[in-house]
Amino acid sequence: MRVLAIESSCDESAVAVLDGESRCFTHEFISSQAAVHRQFGGVVPDLAGKEHRRALPELIGRWQCSDSFAVPDMIAVTHGPGLACALGAGLDVARELATFYQCPLLGINHLQGHALSPFIPLWQRNQPWSDLFPHLGLLVSGGNTLLFTIDENFNKQVLAETVDDAAGEALDKGARMLGLPYPGGPPMEELAREGNPKAYNFPRAFTPAVMKFSFSGLKTALLYQLRKMQADEIAQYKADLCSSYLQAICDALVRKVDHVAKELEPRSIGFSGGVSQNCVLRGEMEAVCSRRNVPLLLTPRPYCGDNASMIAFAAMVDGCHGEKSPTRFHPKLRL
Ligand code: KG4
């Protein structure tokens, strides 16, 4: 089985091909729109749609012209959740390709792609994974913050999600207030390395036992803190502000994982999504897992942000949860 996957839910246009026999990705192309949206401080939906319609045919052309090109057995496409015009662009290209190559088209939930991405390295090594279920997953991206379980049949159950901003969104908006470029996670991580995580006492919403996340109060707390400071003071203490802000996000996420891990005793814990690239968060997740004696499955960095490889992988190992021949996209699809 050879799966060609297309991802275009937000601001990354991506195409990947997964070869089931060799268990490897033969093609992985990604075109980020970050530079296009940077001047606006966040993603502009209409622009994202136009950029996908420009970039996807170009990426498909690179695949078709490559030496290792082979006709796919299936096309997988992200059919939600995401920006309507961005998803529509991907679905149109995918439907054209499925018609051209006369192969089935499968709609894959973007969150399912992220949720299963920690299993990619195990599958590539052909490593048995049945003893890793029930699995507890934490997915932290620009648009989603989810804590969920997965059983051995890849059925997923959401335990907690955000009631307002996603953690990545809070990072991006906090970074913007501090004058850092979009996306804010990487520059904030870099500055935070030189800062003191205890310098500012930013709020952590909800106790670990409450099955909800919230990050909008944290954002407001940063805004009020900055209003109390002069510009030169903000510049002087920017690293401390970043470090304390990041630590508040980290505590809110990791303390809940620790609480649920204690209650449910999962046999593995996964960490995925763009924000899971953060070293502070990775370190704290490692600490929780070693304390609870549970294996930690970290999504490899190339598959943390939005990418088509995770969509191909989800179609390959969990296709039964996909939508056959999708004709519509679902901007508000849930895990
Ligand atoms: O998974 P992703 O591409 O999600 C969506 O597009 O929804 O993740 C993007 C998010 C952004 O909020 C970005 O700031 C954050 O991931 N991010 C990071 C890091 N790298 C990316 N956050 C913290 N530390 C990082 N190193």
Side-chain angles (χ1 to χ4, degrees), residues 81-334:
L83 301 171
C85 35
L87 292 167
L91 188 56
D92 285 348
V93 171
R95 288 175 66 189
E96 270 175 34
L97 287 170
T99 307
F100 185 76
Y101 291 114
Q102 299 205 322
C103 61
L105 176 65
L106 192 66
I108 296 290
N109 184 330
H110 176 79
L111 302 173
Q112 181 195 0
H114 275 305
L116 298 181
S117 61
F119 291 91
I120 292 175
L122 303 181
W123 185 81
Q124 287 186 312
R125 293 195 297 264
N126 205 0
Q127 198 172 318
W129 59 33
S130 55
D131 57 349
L132 295 176
F133 299 98
H135 170 85
L136 176 66
L138 177 68
L139 190 179
V140 194
S141 71
N144 296 279
T145 305
L146 287 173
L147 190 61
F148 53 90
T149 54
I150 305 181
D151 71 15
E152 64 281 7
N153 298 315
F154 287 134
N155 294 312
K156 297 134 199 122
Q157 192 189 350
V158 174
L159 304 177
E161 55 195 319
T162 181
V163 294
D164 40 53
D165 289 354
E169 195 179 348
L171 276 168
D172 293 341
K173 289 177 178 167
R176 192 177 173 187
M177 286 185 234
L178 289 162
L180 301 173
Y182 171 84
M188 197 175 266
E189 166 165 32
E190 194 155 336
L191 262 177
R193 278 199 199 110
E194 300 149 27
N196 173 6
K198 293 187 177 146
Y200 298 90
N201 188 19
F202 290 125
R204 279 80 168 143
F206 304 129
T207 60
V210 178
M211 287 300 108
K212 290 178 203 166
F213 295 105
S214 166
F215 296 101
S216 68
L218 170 66
K219 213 176 52 188
T220 311
L222 175 64
L223 178 70
Y224 287 166
Q225 179 60 45
L226 295 178
R227 278 189 188 159
K228 286 192 275 182
M229 298 167 81
Q230 301 295 327
D232 56 345
E233 223 185 330
I234 294 175
Q236 188 181 349
Y237 296 110
K238 207 180 262 193
D240 286 344
L241 287 160
C242 285
S243 182
S244 303
Y245 191 79
L246 191 59
Q247 191 61 49
I249 291 180
C250 189
D251 288 349
L253 295 168
V254 178
R255 286 177 189 168
K256 213 171 300 290
V257 171
D258 189 39
H259 176 83
V260 173
K262 186 175 161 213
E263 297 284 305
L264 296 187
E265 299 185 353
R267 293 173 76 187
S268 63
I269 295 181
F271 190 25
S272 60
V275 180
S276 74
Q277 294 170 88
N278 187 275
C279 293
V280 177
L281 268 162
R282 284 189 168 221
E284 299 220 2
M285 287 291 283
E286 269 159 14
V288 165
C289 289
S290 87
R291 192 162 61 242
R292 300 263 166 236
N293 202 17
V294 188
L296 174 63
L297 310 181
L298 288 170
T299 298
R301 283 180 200 276
Y303 307 133
C304 286
D306 292 346
N307 66 92
S309 304
M310 68 179 189
I311 301 302
F313 178 67
M316 181 79 73
V317 301
D318 189 24
C320 63
H321 283 106
E323 182 188 348
K324 288 192 185 113
S325 313
T327 50
R328 290 187 313 147
F329 49 83
H330 312 280
K332 297 207 179 299
L333 193 64
R334 295 164 65 97

